[in-house]
């Protein structure tokens, strides 16, 4: 709970005030000589709790209390116990920056709540004449009715409790000096400097270096992180965030879950070929051969992909193999089984097939019905087909002009109804798993596959007749016939150095 000494300012130096206080989501209950602390993620009991220690715990639950006041009147042994306690439960104790007092008494300016068990920081030293700015990874948002400052670089959340603190945070959108912020929101120079010391010390804000540059703009590792990528990484794995996480069913008994199987849309249908498993087994290469010879192919044969091949491909990668409907009141989920794995058997991904050329199948945009194993025409507009193919080709540098484009969409609420914090990340994992399944099946069938790294989710939602927030695209995959002279295995191109056994590394991945 100690902080660094401030630099000299125009007034008498005043140490930054970081008064401990239990977080708002921590409940303290006393029972005899024991005290039980409960939060949304943990609960434990302390004993014996009596005398000065009991008073200190009550103070922590009643509001921010500077450490010297918290320890006031305690015997030396009790002081040691309270300090040890603060170290032990630091993840349940917020740090409150207070005004220096005055006619209106002290008030809280900002409250820094730890979001990780090992969260620690020291208030930084701030030169009143050196520019300070928010880190480019910091952001403001509304949370539980309060304006908070967060950053994927920081294991704290800064609750901007006071209008003056909010004014300071807004001003830090551009480089400013502590001196130029003097009297912000009616604060004294020392109080303003205290706020900056804690924001800088925690990592929400940063001071310019001697060249006037900021670390989040110049440090090589940070430069290579985009804001949204680092934020996403910090939120979808445990470690530095304290919100509820995982399969917690946050909307059970409040919102009806999405069905495991999406009702097929209305429209003309095309029945697809269903391959026999024994026929596939007789002609398929080994798994090792498929894995080692898999590669992206962006050129196609003169002969078009056939409807029979497309039917086999979709059957092998995306059909519903089984459907489980639980008994009412069992507490179990409705789930399905498909050829690729899916977390919790959620299977939120859907497939739409845009056909440019396919022997035995008219050009159009179709929904793949994975239960009936058929295509349903949802859009026969030539301009819309062209738009989808143009975006797909652009993702390959205008190299590919495929027979078929497969658009993967996700029914987002199918996952978010069950999972908190990781729903979208899990959908992206599923997309990658489906990509690999498609690659291996296409390779085994002698077709030309290529997964794309980008697509236009807004445009595809419009073309497919979808609500962007309910269901929109998360992946795109090109498929076509393979040119007879396009061999999978062969000598590597000039400039490639084969590693390990060349009989295993048969072909580079383009």
């Amino acid at each position: 709970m100690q902080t660094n000494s401030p630099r000299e300012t125009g007034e008498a130096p005043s140490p930054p005030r970081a008064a401990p206080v239990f977080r708002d989501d921590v409940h303290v209950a006393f029972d005899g000589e024991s005290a039980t602390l409960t939060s949304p993620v943990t609960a434990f009991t302390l004993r014996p709790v009596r005398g000065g220690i009991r008073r200190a715990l009550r103070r922590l639950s009643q509001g921010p209390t500077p450490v010297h006041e918290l320890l006031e009147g305690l015997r030396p042994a009790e002081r040691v116990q309270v300090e040890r306690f603060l170290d032990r439960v630091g993840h349940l104790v917020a740090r409150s920056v207070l005004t220096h007092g005055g006619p209106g008494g002290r008030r809280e300016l900002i409250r820094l709540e730890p979001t990780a068990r090992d969260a620690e920081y020291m208030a930084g030293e701030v030169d009143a004449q050196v520019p300070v700015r928010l880190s480019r990874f910091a952001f403001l948002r509304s949370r539980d009715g309060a304006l908070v400052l967060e950053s994927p670089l920081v294991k704290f959340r800064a609750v901007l409790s006071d209008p003056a603190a909010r004014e300071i945070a807004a001003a830090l959108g551009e480089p400013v000096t502590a001196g130029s912020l003097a009297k912000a929101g009616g604060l004294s120079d020392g109080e303003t400097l205290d706020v900056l010391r804690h924001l800088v010390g925690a990592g929400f804000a940063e001071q310019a270096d001697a060249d006037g540059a900021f670390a989040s703009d110049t440090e090589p590792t940070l430069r290579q992180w985009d804001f949204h990528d680092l934020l996403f990484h910090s939120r979808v794995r445990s470690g530095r965030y304290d919100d509820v996480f995982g399969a917690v069913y946050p909307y059970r008994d409040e919102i009806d879950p999405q069905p495991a199987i999406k009702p097929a849309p209305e429209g003309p249908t095309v029945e697809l070929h269903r391959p026999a498993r024994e026929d596939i087994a007789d002609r398929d290469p080994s798994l090792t051969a498929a894995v080692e010879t898999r590669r992206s192919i962006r050129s196609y044969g003169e002969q078009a992909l056939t409807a029979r091949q497309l039917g086999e491909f979709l059957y092998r990668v995306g059909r519903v193999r089984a459907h489980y409907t639980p008994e009412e009141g069992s507490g179990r989920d409705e789930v399905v089984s498909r050829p690729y794995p899916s977390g919790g058997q959620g299977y939120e991904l859907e497939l739409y097939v845009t056909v440019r050329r396919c022997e035995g199948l008219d050009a159009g945009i179709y929904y793949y019905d994975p239960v009936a194993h058929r295509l349903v025409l949802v859009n026969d507009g030539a301009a819309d087909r062209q738009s989808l193919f143009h975006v797909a080709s652009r993702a390959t540098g205008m190299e590919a002009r495929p027979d078929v484009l497969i658009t993967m969409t996700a029914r987002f609420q199918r996952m978010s109804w069950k999972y908190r914090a990781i729903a979208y990340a899990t959908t992206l994992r599923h997309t990658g798993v489906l990509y690999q399944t498609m690659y291996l099946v296409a390779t085994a069938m002698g077709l030309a596959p290529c997964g794309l790294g980008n697509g236009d989710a807004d445009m595809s939602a419009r073309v497919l007749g979808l609500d962007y927030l309910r269901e929109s695209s998360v992946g795109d995959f090109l498929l076509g016939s393979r040119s007879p002279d396009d061999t999978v295995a062969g000598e590597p191109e000039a400039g490639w150095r084969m590693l390990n056994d060349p009989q295993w590394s048969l072909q580079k991945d383009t």
Side-chain angles (χ1 to χ4, degrees), residues 333-396:
D333 295 343
E334 179 192 13
V335 297
V336 296
S337 172
R338 295 192 183 192
Y340 61 92
S342 179
Q345 293 183 283
Y347 289 103
E348 78 283 16
L349 299 182
E350 303 289 342
L351 302 180
Y352 290 81
V353 181
T354 303
V355 175
R356 184 178 70 86
R357 64 168 193 168
C358 185
E359 184 181 324
L361 183 62
D362 291 337
I365 303 173
Y366 299 86
Y367 167 73
Y368 174 59
D369 181 346
V371 176
H373 187 56
R374 62 181 182 173
L375 296 178
V376 182
L377 183 66
V378 295
N379 187 333
D380 60 0
D384 286 339
R385 288 200 306 276
Q386 179 60 30
S387 295
L388 288 174
F389 277 119
H390 177 74
V391 171
S393 182
R394 191 172 62 197
T396 69

Side-chain angles (χ1 to χ4, degrees), residues 234-267:
S234 73
R235 294 298 191 262
V236 299
R237 298 187 68 82
S238 299
R240 57 175 55 202
Y241 197 55
D242 61 342
D243 271 359
V244 179
F245 189 93
V248 296
Y249 298 90
Y251 306 106
R252 177 175 277 170
D253 300 325
E254 296 180 15
I255 302 174
D256 291 334
Q258 293 292 305
I261 296 174
K262 176 182 175 177
E266 297 292 330

Side-chain angles (χ1 to χ4, degrees), residues 443-456:
T443 301
M445 292 178 62
L447 300 177
C450 181
L452 301 182
N454 187 32
D456 189 327

Side-chain angles (χ1 to χ4, degrees), residues 116-130:
R117 284 184 173 270
D118 60 346
E120 286 294 339
Y121 81 96
M122 298 287 285
E125 292 195 8
V126 174
D127 188 319
Q129 305 308 314
V130 175

Side-chain angles (χ1 to χ4, degrees), residues 4-6 16 121-126 193 196-198 200-202 207:
N4 293 338
S5 299
Y121 81 96
M122 298 287 285
E125 292 195 8
V126 174
L193 201 58
L196 293 179
R197 285 165 174 156
H198 284 274
V200 169
Q207 284 195 104

Side-chain angles (χ1 to χ4, degrees), residues 270-322:
V270 178
E271 300 299 321
L272 293 172
H273 167 64
R274 294 173 180 262
R277 185 170 178 176
E278 56 271 18
D279 292 341
I280 293 174
D282 287 342
R283 57 180 165 80
D284 257 7
S286 68
L287 174 62
T288 298
V291 169
E292 290 298 320
T293 59
R294 175 216 59 79
R295 66 186 179 96
S296 296
I297 301 175
R298 303 183 185 91
S299 58
Y300 308 94
E302 293 183 5
Q303 182 65 40
L305 184 74
T306 68
R308 182 181 180 90
Q309 288 173 316
L310 180 59
E312 177 180 330
F313 177 82
L314 292 172
Y315 190 83
R316 294 176 67 173
V317 303
R319 78 186 187 280
V320 169
R321 300 187 297 194

